[in-house]
Amino acid sequence: MSDLIAAIATGASLTAIGVIRLSGEGAIAAVDRVFCANSGKPLSKTADRKLVLGKLHDCEGCVIDECLVTVSRAPNSYTGEETAELQCHGSPLVLRLALESLFAQGARQALAGEFTKRAFLNGRMDLMGAEAVVDLINSETAAAAKNAVGQLSGALSRRIEQVYGSIADLLAHFQAVVDYPDEDIEPTELDADLRTLRQAEAELQKLQDSFKNGRTMNSGLPTAILGRPNAGKSSLLNALLGYERAIVTDIPGTTRDTISERATLGDVLLRLTDTAGLRETEDKVEALGVERSREAMRAAELIFVLCDSSVPFTEEDAALLAEAEAAAPTVLVWTKSDLPAAPVSPLLPEKLPVEVRLSAVTGDGFDALRDAVGALFPPAAVPAGEILTNARQVDAVARARESVAAACAALEIGVAPDAALSEAEAALAALGELTGRTVRSDVTDRIFSRFCVGK
């Protein structure tokens, strides 16, 4: 994969600065043929990572931009190959002409994620570090960004390597005893081996448990907004999003279908679903919307039950609240707090979930809603950078933990040690998939297909 690739790294929209990246054999020479430094010094004689100002030419030798260029030589670059980066003015036309000029020098269009894939293949980062790059690009909360940066710096890899190393040492010692019986090698001890494996299992279980937080950080917490018609569900959605996503009227039944969007509330990313008002209806279309509302409630991990504080609490409200509390953590949201409050209803249950009063009109109460959600879903106890964030990672950890547990069970019941150690070898293979030691090419292709072009 040392052929020369190039791509616009800053997207196709109009920006102040546009970046073009090159990587591969001959990257510096290719740029030298279309770029003239104001100093007259060629890039081939320029130090690594030094910005050079000059003029960029198109395929016919006409100046198309005055830009900055920096180069890095192998192996001390992002990809581990010879690289160059052009910082141009952000006109899409200028960037396209610059790219065409580089293609004429022998470069080809880079594929999605190809720069980072080369960094992985050249040993500049492991597979979890590569996944952290795309997590960092896509992060929507400070917690997600911190975790991605931590993974990129190797926090999760180091934790995995500690577990991998302890199991590998156990296997190596056992193999040495078996293969070299005449050597003065300390024999294996069942109790010591069990302690090592149990500690590895406990560490893997902690990692596996972290995935719930990682999935919430990156994908959002599935959150259903429920209530009777005109309870203010769409108004709450619009207020959380900061723009008018759902139609709001005083006509009951305006929302006929579910609407899903993502919004950040404090440090928690919510995957919000605005639902049709829950009520008995003869309207077939509205009835379908009500059924979808109940499906959203069943799939939710957090539920906002909205009740209009300006009208009496009803039996329907009480039934919905009980149903929601049985399904997922629930916040009772009293809406329209800017209006005169209705008298306290005798139908109100004695024991209520967390309550919040707010107004989508004045904005009062949204800080209380943020605090309520933050209390229900506090930050992970696991240090940033050590939280699993995707299904591939948690699957590999789960398989490794199951294999270690099977090895422990085998040793405890007196099965021949080599049978137990085959389970330990399976655990190592699963852990190797995390860092890329044993990963298949089709798996890496799927991982890097998530990236944008130019990264």
Side-chain angles (χ1 to χ4, degrees):
M1 290 187 67
S2 61
D3 60 322
L4 184 57
I5 58 173
I8 299 170
T10 46
S13 59
L14 188 67
T15 57
I17 302 294
V19 175
I20 296 176
R21 309 177 73 189
L22 295 93
S23 181
E25 189 175 348
I28 297 174
V31 179
D32 253 337
R33 291 193 291 270
V34 297
F35 174 81
C36 292
N38 290 349
S39 66
K41 185 178 180 181
L43 294 172
S44 58
K45 298 186 181 299
T46 300
D48 284 6
R49 290 172 290 281
K50 179 181 179 181
L51 284 170
V52 179
L53 179 65
K55 293 178 174 59
L56 183 65
H57 300 80
D58 64 14
C59 299
E60 298 178 354
C62 298
V63 175
I64 55 174
D65 195 15
E66 186 171 44
C67 65
L68 292 166
V69 176
T70 182
V71 300
S72 296
R73 293 168 177 83
N76 301 314
S77 70
Y78 179 76
T79 62
E81 302 173 337
E82 186 175 291
T83 64
E85 190 170 284
L86 290 74
Q87 299 180 20
C88 305
H89 291 94
S91 161
L93 174 62
V94 168
L95 294 174
R96 180 174 59 80
L97 291 173
L99 199 59
E100 289 175 356
S101 184
L102 293 168
F103 289 161
Q105 304 307 316
R108 66 165 173 84
Q109 174 66 54
L111 303 176
E114 192 167 4
F115 290 93
T116 306
K117 186 175 185 179
R118 290 188 177 200
F120 163 66
L121 293 175
N122 291 325
R124 296 293 291 171
M125 63 177 65
D126 66 17
L127 204 53
M128 288 185 294
E131 288 176 307
V133 172
V134 75
D135 283 349
L136 184 58
I137 292 170
N138 294 330
S139 59
E140 297 182 53
T141 64
K146 288 177 183 177
N147 190 67
V149 169
Q151 284 197 12
L152 190 57
S153 67
L156 182 56
S157 298
R158 287 189 292 273
R159 191 168 174 185
I160 293 295
E161 286 299 323
Q162 288 176 353
V163 177
Y164 188 101
S166 67
I167 299 173
D169 288 346
L170 185 152
L171 281 169
H173 186 219
F174 177 80
Q175 291 294 344
V177 171
V178 171
D179 294 342
Y180 304 100
D182 297 331
E183 298 292 333
D184 186 20
I185 300 175
E186 185 178 344
T188 58
E189 295 182 8
L190 176 61
D191 289 344
D193 291 348
L194 275 173
R195 282 196 300 272
T196 296
L197 290 173
R198 284 177 182 143
Q199 185 175 0
E201 183 185 4
E203 282 297 306
L204 292 172
Q205 185 64 63
K206 290 177 184 177
L207 283 171
Q208 188 175 343
D209 292 342
S210 75
F211 176 60
K212 184 175 181 180
N213 289 99
R215 181 184 58 190
T216 298
M217 280 194 309
N218 281 13
S219 301
L221 187 69
T223 305
I225 304 175
L226 303 175
R228 291 191 295 123
N230 273 7
K233 299 181 295 300
S234 295
S235 295
L236 176 62
L237 175 72
N238 291 341
L240 290 172
L241 294 176
Y243 65 93
E244 298 295 315
R245 172 63 178 86
I247 297 173
V248 177
T249 75
D250 57 2
I251 303 171
T254 299
T255 301
R256 298 294 189 94
D257 200 355
T258 56
I259 299 174
S260 295
E261 293 289 348
R262 288 150 69 107
T264 301
L265 187 61
D267 291 328
V268 182
L269 177 63
L270 303 178
R271 196 162 72 244
L272 296 163
T273 301
D274 181 24
T275 65
L278 293 173
R279 66 173 176 175
E280 296 296 326
T281 178
E282 299 297 324
D283 186 312
K284 291 184 178 180
V285 176
E286 188 178 357
L288 287 173
V290 169
E291 177 54 33
R292 291 190 178 183
S293 299
R294 296 196 178 279
E295 290 175 2
M297 176 168 57
R298 290 189 286 269
E301 296 179 21
L302 171 65
I303 298 174
F304 295 151
V305 172
L306 272 59
C307 294
D308 185 343
S309 64
S310 67
V311 300
F313 188 83
T314 67
E315 291 183 357
E316 290 83 358
D317 291 325
L320 173 59
L321 186 59
E323 191 176 356
E325 287 189 275
T330 299
V331 178
L332 174 57
V333 181
W334 296 100
T335 60
K336 307 181 185 180
S337 64
D338 55 301
L339 300 178
V344 176
S345 170
L347 298 173
L348 196 66
E350 289 185 10
K351 186 177 180 181
L352 292 171
V354 178
E355 295 179 85
V356 171
R357 293 185 177 274
L358 58 76
S359 168
V361 174
T362 65
D364 291 339
F366 281 85
D367 287 347
L369 182 62
R370 177 201 63 204
D371 294 342
V373 171
L376 287 172
F377 297 91
V382 181
E386 298 182 11
I387 300 173
L388 303 184
T389 56
N390 63 59
R392 185 196 78 86
Q393 292 175 351
V394 75
D395 174 68
V397 168
R399 285 187 284 112
R401 185 194 59 75
E402 290 167 2
S403 293
V404 171
C408 287
L411 289 177
E412 286 172 340
I413 63 175
V415 172
D418 56 343
L421 291 170
S422 68
E423 292 288 356
E425 289 174 346
L428 289 184
L431 292 176
E433 293 178 21
L434 281 168
T435 58
R437 287 175 184 258
T438 57
V439 74
R440 303 187 312 271
S441 61
D442 61 323
V443 174
T444 60
D445 289 342
R446 286 199 301 273
I447 289 170
F448 290 103
S449 68
R450 299 168 55 207
F451 284 68
C452 56
V453 173
K455 191 56 183 174

